[in-house]
Amino acid sequence: MRYFDPHIHMLSRTTDDYENMAAAGIVGVVEPAFWQGQPRTQAGTFIDYFDSLVGWERFRASQFGIRHYCTIAVNPKESNNVPLAEEVMKAVPRYLEKDGVVAVGEIGYDDMSDAEERFFAEHLNLAMEHELPALIHTPHRDKKKGTERTLALVREVGIDEEMVIVDHLNEVTLPLVMETGCWRGHSIYPHTKMSEQRMVALLKQYGLEKMVVNSAADWGRSDPLKVPKTGQAMRDAGFSEADIERVLFTNPVEFFAQSGRMSIEDMAAATIDQTQLFEDNSVLRGQTPVVEA
Amino acid sequence: MSDDYLAQLNAAVRERSTEEARQWLDDAYRQLDTAADPVDTLSLLSARSRRKLGLVPLGAGAADIVTDIGPVPIAAWPLGDAGRVALLLAGAAHHPQHAVALADGLFRGGDEIERAVVIRALALVSADDGLKHLALEVGRTNSVALFAALARHNPYPAARYSDHEFNQMILKALFIGVNIDAVHGLELRANADLSRMCEDYIDERRAAGRDVPADIWLALGPHASAGGNTLMLTYLEDQDPSHRYYAAVALGRRMPEYPEFRHALRSRLKEEGDERTRAALDDALSQSS
Ligand SMILES: [Zn+2]
């Protein structure tokens, strides 16, 4: 079974994780720009972070045969530092044109402050301008209200709901999104968000259409294998292999393929890194490259 | 000069492009010519180039661009990346005072592929030292794709690097696994210090019980010490055909000075089963007879 993890922060993960993910069948990932556990103090650190997402991290992933895409945005938490967020927003459009950038995100509400709402709306407009999907994070606190306001803002700005995924949903917030055309994201994250078993129950109740599952693994206690583990939980609950592939591979790829910058076919092709596109596959001597610490 | 490069590259891109792609490129040239902020405009156009022009390589019909410091092979460049270089050259031709800033800006604002494109095009954009800092910066990266853009099929390092800089690049390539068989000017720029560094590196690898990179003989060979020669002769008999191949090539190149290598190469040829190594041995033995 091939899997796709459409929300994972690989910059915080080790090469052991990459190895285990590849061994478990994960062929591609989307890494959304988010905060890094502590607030940044200057625009330059955002820029370097974005550069890592479009450059270095893609290389790291390619060493394990995993295709790496990313989304770019000023995240909701840090948009509360308004002067800083304004400065970073000037650089965001340039990144939204890059080939490996498949959505605007993570955006949305955290505290539901005025500043968050302002930058959330600005990002949705950028997504429309650059013809990109939008990846929306829903808050941990006051989640139901946050999701309602999220959906209201999506309608107000007027972005096509097909181009929107609302993430970190649970039993309470999923029904709200089911009434819209937005895609439905679920983060299987130990202790806080959602478990594999609860996810399976949601799939049984609500069906497979537009349903997306991710690990949201990051620098916190999280598990980069939650997508394949959800696959196993679905199998144990009697879902067919085709059902598993639909939810854990095809759905997320189809959502981000709306960017025009990746496709189902890209996933099927052998991993060809950019060096090989430039010349041939004799660039590397054959043995696994040594990466200096 | 730089105009000629642009003309050649532009013709190569147009020949393989659709009418729609050609129109996009023409329009992009116009936008650059009239841009208030050419660095910013180039950055935007470059980001779109792959999606507009595509990933088909220019192909074998596209001849190397010959520059003052050596040939730049472009046949393997995808159309979208060749377009990026064409736009960079066009911008530099139209805004000569910004030429370095344009390349610098494209590199700084680029993703990894765009950065590699700038590095591959260094000899076309600025064959002097104006952009050497970018080459040296890339020389420090561990990203194989980016590093290979500098080290392979690129005339810039051999033309502009000091011995120390050149040697560091070769050692780094050996270290991260980038094959040095396509390093431009390696034989000419090789030096005694490089051979010594390679010998030390082999000592380290063997002490640690690790493999020695097979292509190392290309860098060690040209100025090998007596000890280095002995190592090459030893690896000419190695189990790994890659070692035998590169040792044969490197030993063959030293035959004019060391006719006694002939004996070793001949007896190797009698037993050699690997086709590529046989060809290298034949080549070495026929050239010096
Ligand atoms: Zn996240």
XYZ file of all heavy atoms in Angstrom, chain A residues 285 287, chain B residues 174 211-218 240-247 276:
175
model
N 28.014 8.160 -6.811
C 28.903 7.048 -7.044
C 28.195 5.708 -6.857
O 28.681 4.675 -7.221
C 30.046 7.143 -6.046
C 31.390 6.927 -6.674
C 32.440 7.122 -5.634
N 32.784 8.511 -5.443
C 32.650 9.160 -4.308
N 32.113 8.572 -3.258
N 33.020 10.408 -4.208
N 27.068 4.365 -3.745
C 26.808 4.106 -2.334
C 25.974 5.257 -1.767
O 25.869 6.307 -2.362
C 28.099 3.929 -1.521
C 28.899 5.189 -1.309
C 30.018 5.314 -2.318
O 29.827 5.072 -3.514
N 31.179 5.691 -1.867
N 34.150 13.874 -3.085
C 34.445 12.488 -2.708
C 33.687 12.131 -1.438
O 33.170 11.026 -1.288
C 35.952 12.314 -2.490
C 36.813 12.415 -3.758
C 38.290 12.560 -3.388
C 36.595 11.184 -4.644
N 34.760 1.881 2.882
C 35.096 1.847 1.459
C 35.847 3.105 1.045
O 35.571 4.191 1.538
C 33.817 1.789 0.608
C 33.141 0.444 0.737
O 33.783 -0.493 1.247
O 31.962 0.348 0.338
N 36.747 2.928 0.097
C 37.420 4.062 -0.530
C 36.620 4.397 -1.791
O 36.287 3.495 -2.561
C 38.867 3.675 -0.899
C 39.532 4.768 -1.722
C 39.665 3.373 0.366
N 36.275 5.689 -2.018
C 35.535 6.015 -3.245
C 36.360 5.679 -4.485
O 37.534 6.038 -4.575
C 35.279 7.527 -3.145
C 36.154 8.019 -2.048
C 36.513 6.861 -1.175
N 35.732 5.001 -5.442
C 36.483 4.465 -6.580
C 37.036 5.565 -7.489
O 38.096 5.416 -8.082
C 35.580 3.527 -7.386
N 36.297 6.689 -7.582
C 36.744 7.741 -8.504
C 37.906 8.562 -7.938
O 38.447 9.426 -8.623
C 35.569 8.656 -8.883
C 34.746 9.112 -7.689
O 34.746 8.410 -6.655
O 34.093 10.164 -7.775
N 38.315 8.270 -6.717
C 39.375 9.064 -6.085
C 40.676 9.026 -6.897
O 41.462 9.975 -6.877
C 39.626 8.589 -4.631
C 40.430 9.644 -3.851
C 40.335 7.240 -4.605
C 40.463 9.404 -2.344
N 40.884 7.952 -7.674
C 42.142 7.808 -8.432
C 42.292 8.897 -9.480
O 43.401 9.261 -9.851
C 42.236 6.412 -9.058
C 41.936 5.356 -8.025
C 40.878 4.497 -8.012
C 42.674 5.105 -6.830
N 40.902 3.726 -6.868
C 42.002 4.082 -6.129
C 43.833 5.644 -6.259
C 42.440 3.575 -4.910
C 44.277 5.155 -5.047
C 43.588 4.130 -4.385
N 41.176 9.446 -9.935
C 41.243 10.523 -10.927
C 41.881 11.777 -10.330
O 42.545 12.537 -11.026
C 39.834 10.875 -11.435
C 39.055 9.747 -12.111
C 37.655 10.227 -12.481
C 39.800 9.243 -13.346
N 36.224 -4.704 -6.780
C 35.204 -3.792 -7.304
C 35.653 -3.271 -8.681
O 36.682 -2.613 -8.794
C 35.051 -2.625 -6.306
C 34.086 -1.570 -6.799
O 33.621 -1.656 -7.959
O 33.819 -0.633 -6.025
N 34.873 -3.582 -9.727
C 35.285 -3.167 -11.069
C 35.417 -1.648 -11.215
O 36.199 -1.194 -12.055
C 34.164 -3.705 -11.982
C 33.056 -4.107 -11.088
C 33.632 -4.369 -9.725
N 34.683 -0.872 -10.403
C 34.821 0.588 -10.488
C 36.230 1.013 -10.082
O 36.827 1.899 -10.692
C 33.818 1.292 -9.579
O 32.532 1.047 -10.037
N 36.757 0.398 -9.031
C 38.132 0.702 -8.631
C 39.103 0.342 -9.756
O 40.004 1.106 -10.089
C 38.511 -0.061 -7.357
C 38.200 0.710 -6.106
N 38.819 1.904 -5.808
C 37.338 0.472 -5.102
C 38.347 2.362 -4.663
N 37.443 1.520 -4.218
N 38.911 -0.832 -10.337
C 39.821 -1.259 -11.408
C 39.745 -0.270 -12.575
O 40.759 0.104 -13.153
C 39.469 -2.673 -11.878
C 39.556 -3.724 -10.774
C 39.744 -5.129 -11.337
N 38.660 -5.578 -12.199
C 37.527 -6.128 -11.759
N 37.316 -6.283 -10.459
N 36.599 -6.530 -12.612
N 38.517 0.167 -12.884
C 38.339 1.082 -14.012
C 39.059 2.416 -13.778
O 39.870 2.860 -14.589
C 36.849 1.331 -14.264
C 36.584 2.472 -15.221
C 36.832 2.335 -16.586
C 36.113 3.700 -14.756
C 36.624 3.386 -17.470
C 35.892 4.760 -15.627
C 36.147 4.595 -16.982
O 35.940 5.642 -17.836
N 38.747 3.052 -12.636
C 39.340 4.381 -12.398
C 40.852 4.288 -12.176
O 41.599 5.178 -12.582
C 38.660 5.082 -11.223
C 37.277 5.583 -11.573
C 36.136 5.051 -10.968
C 37.114 6.586 -12.529
C 34.875 5.507 -11.294
C 35.850 7.045 -12.862
C 34.725 6.506 -12.239
O 33.480 6.968 -12.570
N 41.325 3.205 -11.550
C 42.771 3.032 -11.375
C 43.432 2.864 -12.740
O 44.507 3.428 -13.004
C 43.052 1.825 -10.476
N 33.975 -2.088 -19.313
C 34.427 -0.699 -19.246
C 35.919 -0.637 -18.881
O 36.676 0.161 -19.430
C 33.587 0.057 -18.197
C 33.884 1.540 -18.133
C 32.872 2.253 -17.244
N 33.012 1.888 -15.831
C 32.838 2.741 -14.818
N 32.515 4.001 -15.045
N 32.953 2.335 -13.566
